Amino acid sequence: MHGLVRNLMTRGPICLPADATLTEAAEHMADHDIGDVLVLDGDTLRGILTDRDLVVRAIAAGLDMDSTTVGQLATGHPLVLGPEDPVEFALRLMRQHAVRRLPVCAEGGRPVGILTLGDLAEDRAPASALAAICAAEPTPWPPEPAPAVPTNLL
């Protein structure tokens, strides 16, 4: 078990300025196979935008993905961790606030990582189904065609 957030967090989170568009955010999520981007004001964390936010708050609401900014849609003032915070503190925050990911910020609010439910599952219960799912390679996109079924078996 790793006692500090810095030992489990995913380093180098993808960060975008508040004036980036939702399309740009979606492209970064697809390119990096991630479910969130951090939204910055200068070098300081301003908010977090998830793939679910894009679907529920933007697409389902009919927002224009090319003109709506991440700053307009992101959840502002997210809960944050410090790299030296205990993992137990992170677990308590996730449970109390029903969140699956927490940005990790250095002094001054500069993001240095993100701690996800998957990071915790892989550390705390490496043999669990959740850890296996989180550690699995992503499904390729576009999906590969299914192999042809021999007609003599039908």
Side-chain angles (χ1 to χ4, degrees):
M1 176 178 73
H2 300 86
L4 299 178
V5 166
R6 69 177 157 83
N7 296 326
L8 296 183
M9 70 182 192
T10 300
R11 298 176 188 280
I14 302 301
C15 301
L16 296 174
D19 62 354
T21 68
L22 298 182
T23 298
E24 291 174 279
E27 289 169 349
H28 280 283
M29 289 182 195
D31 291 346
H32 297 281
D33 191 40
I34 56 174
D36 61 84
V37 294
L38 301 182
V39 179
L40 301 183
D41 182 6
D43 288 335
T44 305
L45 181 66
R46 175 178 169 176
I48 185 169
L49 182 76
T50 68
D51 48 4
R52 186 174 192 281
D53 294 333
L54 288 175
V55 172
V56 174
R57 295 182 183 173
I59 296 170
L63 297 180
D64 182 346
M65 299 287 286
D66 292 320
S67 65
T68 306
T69 67
V70 295
Q72 292 172 298
L73 200 70
T75 300
H77 310 291
L79 297 168
V80 298
L81 298 168
E84 302 305 314
D85 284 340
V87 170
E88 292 300 323
F89 175 67
L91 286 167
R92 276 197 310 276
L93 276 181
M94 286 180 163
R95 281 187 193 117
Q96 288 173 346
H97 299 278
V99 295
R100 294 176 179 89
R101 49 182 69 93
L102 292 167
V104 182
C105 292
E107 300 260 344
R110 182 179 55 84
V112 295
I114 191 153
L115 185 70
T116 68
L117 186 59
D119 296 328
L120 294 168
E122 289 180 57
D123 179 67
R124 295 295 173 105
S128 70
L130 179 58
I133 292 166
C134 293
E137 288 295 317
T139 303
W141 189 258
E144 298 171 6
V149 177
T151 55
N152 62 348
L153 297 178
L154 297 179

